[in-house]
Amino acid sequence: MPIVHEDAGFVDRPSTSNQPTLEVTNLSFAYPDGHQALFDVSLAIGAGEKVALVGPNGAGKSTLMLHLNGLLSGDGTLAVAGLPIAKENLPLIRSKVGMVFQNPDDQLFSPTVFDDVAFGPLHMGYPEDEVRQRVGKALSQVGMADFEQRLSHHLSIGQKKRVAIATVLSMDPEILVLDEPSAGLDPRARRSLINLLRELPLTMLISTHDMLLVQELFPRMIVMDEGCVVADGETAVLLQDTQFLEAHGLEMPVPTVGHTR
Ligand SMILES: Nc1ncnc2c1ncn2[C@@H]1O[C@H](COP(=O)(O)OP(=O)(O)OP(=O)(O)O)[C@@H](O)[C@H]1O
Ligand SMILES: [Mg+2]
């Protein structure tokens, strides 16, 4: 059975948030093959909050995220920016939630990088000039400004990941839901992603195994294990509880001192 962490408590949300921007209540979900991936998950994220979602492989992080723009639908209630996730609200919800999938190949489907990043703004009916400007800005935000005419499916994994992030930035979303955005990035790209996420004044839920990223960027973290939320609290508090981290397959990397032969 998953362990519920009792000490961390629930974090006070910033005073800017009267109403949660992301609200999940008693969500349970089983895949069509019968595998139950989420058990009674509840969480609420206020406007402008930056929250990390962590937990071991198979914990249910991606499954939860796919519910946040209606790609999966389980039992329970979900609301985004005050809108219940229901079929009639999905177009509006998808324009507000920028979702980056764990696998960039699920996100990139156009011939060129430009087309992929332009897809959202074009779909929203922006004029050509604005689409070009949005694509240029989003690609430079992820350090891929020179890649507009490259073929998306020929990029390296880290480059694909960066373009996948640009495909949502070009939509100017209110909420970012990023599934392991730093996986596969080189140190420089990872650093500029951290700086970008720090500067963007958006509500964020970001799943990651990169605990240093969590420590650096997210005051609050939600821990999932075996389909349940096992803790939701202050990162600084939770990261000090080595027993708790160990129980859920998490650990802070130990800094190495030099290299010995
Ligand atoms: N399409 C599917 N059909 C059946 N089971 C699935 C499917 N996708 C995921 N699962 C199962 O659901 C559980 C949760 O998977 P999920 O991908 O949400 O985990 P995760 O926390 O994102 O893991 P990771 O850290 O590896 O990305 C796992 O046991 C997984 O095997
Ligand atoms: Mg995942």
Side-chain angles (χ1 to χ4, degrees), residues 31-33 35 37 55-64 102 179-180 209:
Y31 280 103
D33 68 356
H35 180 79
N57 293 141
K61 304 178 297 295
S62 298
T63 305
L64 170 63
Q102 184 162 7
D179 202 347
E180 299 195 25
H209 296 293

Side-chain angles (χ1 to χ4, degrees):
M1 266 305 281
I3 297 163
V4 176
H5 196 272
E6 285 164 356
D7 303 331
F10 280 73
V11 167
D12 285 339
R13 278 177 261 294
S15 52
T16 50
S17 56
N18 305 320
Q19 211 188 0
T21 291
L22 283 177
E23 193 164 26
V24 176
T25 313
N26 305 123
L27 177 65
S28 294
F29 174 77
Y31 280 103
D33 68 356
H35 180 79
Q36 178 106 16
L38 298 176
F39 296 88
D40 203 25
V41 168
S42 295
L43 55 94
I45 298 178
E49 261 197 295
K50 294 181 181 183
V51 180
L53 182 62
V54 302
N57 293 141
K61 304 178 297 295
S62 298
T63 305
L64 170 63
M65 287 179 144
L66 292 171
H67 281 78
L68 298 175
N69 70 356
L71 286 169
L72 293 178
S73 168
D75 292 331
T77 51
L78 293 96
V80 172
L83 296 165
I85 297 193
K87 209 172 168 194
E88 61 275 18
N89 292 332
L90 285 185
L92 189 54
I93 285 172
R94 287 178 183 162
S95 72
K96 289 172 184 284
V97 179
M99 181 165 298
V100 172
F101 302 123
Q102 184 162 7
N103 180 355
D105 287 329
D106 292 339
Q107 199 115 22
L108 307 178
F109 48 81
S110 307
T112 68
V113 166
F114 179 92
D115 295 334
D116 265 323
V117 183
F119 181 84
L122 279 174
H123 193 67
M124 288 167 80
Y126 289 111
E128 206 181 307
D129 273 3
E130 172 147 9
V131 172
R132 289 195 174 284
Q133 185 245 322
R134 281 172 175 255
V135 172
K137 182 176 172 199
L139 283 172
S140 62
Q141 282 179 305
V142 296
M144 295 290 285
D146 299 334
F147 284 70
E148 282 193 7
Q149 295 314 318
R150 295 281 294 272
L151 304 183
S152 297
H153 64 280
H154 282 172
L155 299 178
S156 76
I157 292 175
Q159 290 169 336
K160 282 183 184 171
K161 198 84 197 184
R162 287 152 76 176
V163 172
I165 295 168
T167 66
V168 307
L169 294 178
S170 67
M171 300 275 282
D172 208 6
E174 282 175 32
I175 302 162
L176 280 182
V177 176
L178 309 183
D179 202 347
E180 299 195 25
S182 68
L185 298 195
D186 65 39
R188 189 169 38 186
R190 175 181 174 277
R191 178 52 45 199
S192 45
L193 176 74
I194 291 175
N195 291 338
L196 175 67
L197 296 179
R198 183 184 288 113
E199 283 158 21
L200 287 174
L202 305 176
T203 309
M204 295 181 192
L205 180 65
I206 299 197
S207 95
T208 184
H209 296 293
D210 182 344
M211 298 307 281
L212 290 175
L213 171 83
V214 175
Q215 187 177 41
E216 187 171 340
L217 210 55
F218 300 98
R220 173 180 168 198
M221 71 188 226
I222 295 175
V223 185
M224 290 188 72
D225 200 355
E226 297 179 23
C228 301
V229 171
V230 293
D232 178 347
E234 275 183 57
T235 300
V237 175
L238 288 167
L239 288 184
Q240 280 185 6
D241 190 339
T242 42
Q243 242 182 335
F244 168 75
L245 295 178
E246 214 170 283
H248 299 289
L250 302 168
E251 63 176 32
M252 286 302 294
V254 182
T256 48
V257 188
H259 177 75
T260 48
R261 276 173 167 273

